[in-house]
Structure formats: structure tokens, C-alpha cells
Amino acid sequence: MSGEVWVYSESEAVASEVATAADDVAKGASAHVRMVDISSLRPTTRGSGARLLLKGPPSPEVSPAVAAEALARAARELAPLAILLGATRDGREAASRLAAKLGVGCMAEVAGLASDGQGMTGERDVFAGKVVAKVRCRFPAVATVKVGAYPRAVAQPADAQEKDVGPIPDQTKTLGREKKQAGSVDLRSAKVIVSAGRGVKKKEDLAILAELATAMRGALGCSRPLSSDLGWLPEEHHIGLTGVTVKPDLYLAVGISGQLQHVAGMKDSKIVASINTDKDAPIFQASDYGIVGDLYQVVPALRRALAARR
Ligand SMILES: Cc1cc2nc3c(=O)[nH]c(=O)nc-3n(C[C@H](O)[C@H](O)[C@H](O)COP(=O)(O)OP(=O)(O)OC[C@H]3O[C@@H](n4cnc5c(N)ncnc54)[C@H](O)[C@@H]3O)c2cc1C
């Protein structure tokens, strides 16, 4: 094996987080990190200075299946110790295909990565975050790194080595593209999140929570039913096990019951405050501060209190 830990993600931002995780693995394994690009070199890829450009697959978009095949072809020849991908939708698919192609272990959605030189260990949430499992894979291995779990690595000057992996036919056909709805948010970097749940009676009422979020210089999030079932907000607002994982300074849960699938996505917030009419709602167990009350009274009162302070 080559003593390298490879990093690949279709998202530059995620790749730079994965690079930080890869540093921890490389340190324990006395290896070094190499950022991998496929088809075209990204101008601003962050992380380690060492880079590898895999040429062959058609540019500019690389499907998870093609990424897996390109990485597998290169890995068979260059034999890295480990290949780390971001646990994005595409990254999860690419990693599982890649591990199967190489016949190696795959650790899914891990954080807290480390290495003893023989393999790597990672920590992953199970039972919706109630339990943290420690998992281990012998080298060579593949892993997907939990998005948002690591800070982004600092940009470094990059020299790229090229490797031609040959043409890879893409069996995925793109039938069309739609722009994401305007107003999409980056909840992962928000310092304050006001999050709406089923306690909100109708879509129009989200406006009072959006106003509160703006007044607090924060972003609007939601529980899954509001995006996935009701379609009141785009998917990227949905927080939890199947949505975004966030850790803002302040998370204000409004009309959210606090089922463990939701709590899994916000439990690492610095301060959690909740508004709920039900004093026994489980969200209060996960909260530092709780207001038992009707959001239609409490939220306007908070708005007035904030306005009075200005
Ligand atoms: C496999 C799987 C994955 C899932 N993943 C996620 C996920 O990632 N994220 C997620 O959020 N959910 C997820 N869910 C759904 C989850 O189990 C819950 O159903 C969901 O979180 C409930 O959303 P809620 O709290 O908004 O609604 P509810 O559980 O209906 O709670 C509404 C709350 O609002 C309160 N309320 C009512 N009126 C008012 C009022 N006027 N003022 C104040 N409070 C009021 C009620 O007391 C209640 O506590 C998942 C479920 C499954 C099965």
C-alpha cells in the first residue's frame, strides 16, 4: 500500500471537511493526504497540497457510479491505505460501490476518525443518535465522513499528479435539470436557527417564524413533515436524521414535539430553547430552556421584545 489517504467529494466544501478527517487518519498511519479530482481539476480545492487528477470519465459532471469506477481503477494501481468520501447523497452511493468493487470494508457516516497504522476507527451515531458506535476497518478501507462533523481544511498550494483511468461509460442519463428553489439556506453555518414544526397550523404562518429568524440574524429550519409531507419549505430546511445535521449557537424549536429522528439532527446545538403547548413534549428533555405556551402568542411576544431592545 502507498501510505496515502485519498479524499474525494463532488462538493468542494465537503472535500475540505473530509481533508481534515483524513489528516487525523494520516497522522496515525504515518501516511499523507491526497485530494482527488475526477475529470477536471478544481481551481480552489482545499486541504492537502498533494493532488491527483483522474482523467478519462467525461467532464464536467461525474455520477456516483462513474466516480466509484474511476477511484477503483486508480486505487487498484496506486493502492492507497484509505479512501474517504463525504457522506453526501452522491458520496454515500459512490463509497458503497467503490468498497464493493475493491472488496474492502466501508465505514458509513463516521466522525472521530483515527488510525493505529493497521486500520482506522470511526464513530457513528446509531439508533438516531441515542448511541455512538465505534467501528473499525483494516486497511485498505473506504469511509464516508459525516458532513458538518469537521472544520474545513485550510487551502494549500497544489501540485497535481495525473492518472488516466480510461473512458468510463455512464449508464446514468440526465433527463432534465431544475434550479433549486430560491431562498435556500445554509443551515450548517447558521449561528441561530428558528425551527418550525407541525405546531404551525398553515403555511402562511411560517412568515412569523421567518421574521423572528431574521430579527435574530438566523435561518429558518423545520421538522420533516413540513418539508417532506406538506412541502411548505424546501428539503434543505429539514433537520434531523434524514435531513441536515446542525450545531448552531442557538436552536429555537417552535411547535416541534422532539421525536428522536428530529433531535438526532440538532442535539449538538450549543443552546436549545423550545416553545410547545404540551408540557410533556419530549423536546423539553433535549432543551436548555423551555416555554410551555402557544407559539401564536409566544413568537409575536418575542418579536416585540427583540424590537424593544433595538
Ligand atoms: C425513518 C424516519 C426518519 C425520520 N427523519 C426525520 C428527520 O430527519 N427530521 C424530523 O424532523 N423528523 C423525522 N422523522 C419524523 C419524526 O418521527 C416525527 O414524526 C417528526 O419529527 C414530527 O414533527 P413535528 O415535531 O413537527 O410534529 P409533531 O410530532 O406532530 O409535533 C407537533 C408539536 O407541536 C406542538 N404544538 C401544537 N400546536 C402548538 C402551538 N400552537 N404552539 C406550540 N406548540 C404547538 C404539539 O404539542 C406537538 O408537540 C422521521 C421518521 C422516520 C420514520
Side-chain angles (χ1 to χ4, degrees):
M1 282 178 275
S2 73
E4 286 186 357
V5 178
W6 288 2
V7 170
Y8 173 75
S9 175
E10 74 290 351
S11 148
E12 190 215 329
V14 174
S16 69
E17 290 179 21
V18 178
T20 308
D23 274 343
D24 290 346
V25 176
K27 230 174 271 165
S30 306
H32 62 267
V33 176
R34 191 177 285 277
M35 308 294 290
V36 181
D37 283 325
I38 301 176
S39 296
S40 58
L41 208 54
R42 284 179 291 188
T44 54
T45 301
R46 296 164 196 232
S48 152
R51 298 178 66 182
L52 175 64
L53 171 63
L54 304 183
K55 294 178 90 172
S59 188
E61 284 200 18
V62 178
S63 70
V66 171
E69 180 59 23
L71 287 164
R73 287 184 189 179
R76 280 187 202 111
E77 250 181 77
L78 303 173
L81 289 177
I83 306 175
L84 307 187
L85 297 91
T88 58
R89 194 182 299 229
D90 281 6
R92 288 195 289 257
E93 184 185 336
S96 50
R97 287 175 181 268
L98 173 62
K101 283 173 190 288
L102 296 175
V104 303
C106 183
M107 307 199 306
E109 207 140 348
V110 280
L113 278 155
S115 171
D116 58 7
Q118 304 302 308
M120 56 185 178
T121 52
E123 292 171 357
R124 67 185 304 259
D125 288 345
V126 290
F127 301 118
K130 288 269 177 211
V131 177
V132 177
K134 200 156 190 173
V135 287
R136 184 176 193 282
C137 264
R138 273 195 315 273
F139 288 142
V142 170
T144 56
V145 176
K146 188 173 171 181
V147 176
Y150 285 90
R152 292 180 189 178
V154 180
Q156 305 246 358
D159 287 330
Q161 180 190 328
E162 290 188 5
K163 166 125 205 74
D164 197 334
V165 289
I168 300 173
D170 191 354
Q171 288 169 347
T172 315
K173 195 172 164 201
T174 305
L175 299 176
R177 279 177 201 287
E178 275 180 43
K179 271 205 156 186
K180 273 193 174 177
Q181 284 186 37
S184 55
V185 284
D186 179 11
L187 290 174
R188 285 194 186 95
S189 54
K191 297 274 178 229
V192 174
I193 295 176
V194 175
S195 200
R198 285 301 319 256
V200 176
K201 303 293 176 248
K202 52 187 195 306
K203 185 179 179 184
E204 294 69 43
D205 298 345
L206 286 173
I208 59 167
L209 299 201
E211 277 168 22
L212 180 63
T214 306
M216 295 169 83
R217 295 198 184 88
L220 183 66
C222 68
S223 63
R224 186 166 90 158
L226 266 67
S227 58
S228 304
D229 304 342
L230 298 166
W232 290 355
L233 283 168
E235 282 293 324
E236 61 263 38
H237 289 252
H238 140 210
I239 290 157
L241 189 64
T242 47
V244 188
T245 301
V246 296
K247 34 185 173 183
D249 292 342
L250 173 63
Y251 188 85
L252 179 58
V254 184
I256 292 179
S257 57
Q259 299 307 314
L260 48 85
Q261 293 90 351
H262 184 81
V263 173
M266 44 62 79
K267 64 182 167 39
D268 293 329
S269 305
K270 279 200 191 131
I271 295 174
V272 177
S274 308
I275 303 168
N276 200 301
T277 42
D278 175 6
K279 69 173 176 36
D280 296 320
I283 192 69
F284 289 129
Q285 304 289 325
S287 303
D288 302 285
Y289 300 95
I291 300 175
V292 179
D294 185 337
L295 72 93
Y296 289 93
Q297 288 164 11
V298 178
V299 171
L302 282 176
R303 278 284 285 123
R304 284 195 297 277
L306 281 170
R309 288 185 52 195
R310 300 239 154 86

